[in-house]
């Protein structure tokens, strides 16, 4: 069905708004996904403040240009979908990787091909985009930082305890003799 100019403008504005609100995006090429699979994935993304949409290539290119984001060359042909990621980009990219791993065809080939990503206004290669899924998520990062702080504070406490402990040992030795 052909889209009117007004519908195309509204769609471009919608894409632009999502791009501005997103911390990053991942562009994928879906192949033969059924609506039930896609809707289930969208439900999973809701909790991590992310969205997955099939996009109209030409209109999405306009939205990228309007938001001063780099152009993605592969948007010239075929169907594409975009994962608009919220604050927790690692969790969203992990969810996409899991969805991709779980949606394989009869030959075992994934029906979702990651094309590229955009993070903080920079275009990411396919490999860099895949690496996002291997990063720790928000909770994992917080746990790692807290572990580092705990180790540092334990070291400080040990250093501070050493001086009084040494004085006590010296005094014990002096009074024993």
């Amino acid at each position: 069905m052909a889209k009117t100019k007004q519908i195309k403008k509204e769609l471009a504005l919608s894409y632009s708004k999502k791009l501005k609100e997103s911390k990053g995006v991942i562009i994928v090429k879906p192949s033969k996904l059924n609506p039930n699979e896609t809707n289930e994935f969208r439900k999973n993304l809701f909790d991590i403040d992310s969205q997955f949409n099939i996009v109209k290539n030409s209109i999405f290119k306009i939205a990228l240009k309007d938001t001063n984001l780099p152009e993605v060359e592969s948007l010239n042909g075929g169907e594409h979908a975009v994962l608009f990621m919220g604050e927790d980009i690692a969790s969203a990219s992990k969810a996409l990787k899991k969805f991709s791993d779980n949606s394989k065809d009869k030959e075992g080939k994934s029906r979702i091909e990651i094309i590229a990503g955009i993070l903080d206004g920079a275009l990411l290669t396919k490999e860099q985009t895949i690496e996002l899924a291997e990063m720790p998520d928000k909770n994992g990062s917080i746990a790692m930082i807290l572990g580092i702080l705990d180790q540092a504070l334990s070291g400080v406490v040990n250093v501070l305890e050493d001086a009084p402990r040494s004085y006590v040992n010296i005094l014990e030795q002096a009074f024993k003799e």
Side-chain angles (χ1 to χ4, degrees):
M1 177 170 99
K3 296 186 185 323
T4 65
K5 283 187 179 184
Q6 182 62 32
I7 292 174
K8 289 179 181 180
K9 284 181 185 178
E10 290 172 7
L11 194 54
L13 287 173
S14 170
Y15 291 159
S16 295
K17 181 181 176 190
K18 287 179 183 180
L19 286 167
K20 288 176 185 172
E21 293 172 352
S22 299
K23 297 297 178 191
V25 297
I26 297 177
I27 300 160
V28 299
K29 198 171 220 175
S31 174
K32 300 176 185 169
L33 289 177
N34 68 47
N36 291 338
E37 292 171 319
T38 306
N39 287 335
E40 188 64 33
F41 178 54
R42 286 181 177 142
K43 286 178 191 175
N44 295 338
L45 292 174
F46 183 77
D47 294 336
I48 50 178
D49 191 32
S50 298
Q51 294 180 344
F52 184 75
N53 297 100
I54 306 294
V55 294
K56 178 90 172 114
N57 294 341
S58 57
I59 297 173
F60 189 69
K61 283 173 134 177
I62 292 169
L64 286 172
K65 189 175 184 179
D66 289 347
T67 54
N68 296 320
L69 292 172
E71 186 177 320
V72 179
E73 294 296 323
S74 68
L75 288 174
N76 293 331
E79 182 180 50
H80 288 86
V82 177
L83 173 62
F84 297 95
M85 299 181 288
E87 289 289 326
D88 193 358
I89 59 169
S91 292
S93 58
K94 284 179 189 301
L96 179 64
K97 184 177 185 325
K98 183 179 177 184
F99 179 55
S100 176
D101 291 344
N102 291 339
S103 60
K104 301 206 183 251
D105 61 12
K106 292 175 185 174
E107 291 86 35
K109 184 180 173 193
S110 179
R111 293 184 288 156
I112 298 172
E113 178 188 356
I114 295 176
I115 302 299
I118 300 174
L119 185 62
D120 293 330
L123 185 64
L124 302 176
T125 64
K126 178 180 181 175
E127 292 77 23
Q128 291 171 322
T129 305
I130 292 170
E131 286 176 10
L132 282 177
E134 295 166 6
M135 292 175 45
D137 62 358
K138 187 176 182 179
N139 292 335
S141 297
I142 290 171
M144 287 180 3
I145 291 169
L146 290 176
I148 292 168
L149 290 175
D150 183 46
Q151 286 178 338
L153 291 176
S154 295
V156 169
V157 168
N158 286 336
V159 167
L160 293 175
E161 284 180 345
D162 278 347
R165 192 178 307 134
S166 297
Y167 288 128
V168 169
N169 287 337
I170 292 170
L171 290 174
E172 282 181 356
Q173 294 296 323
F175 286 115
K176 281 185 181 177
E177 296 176 0

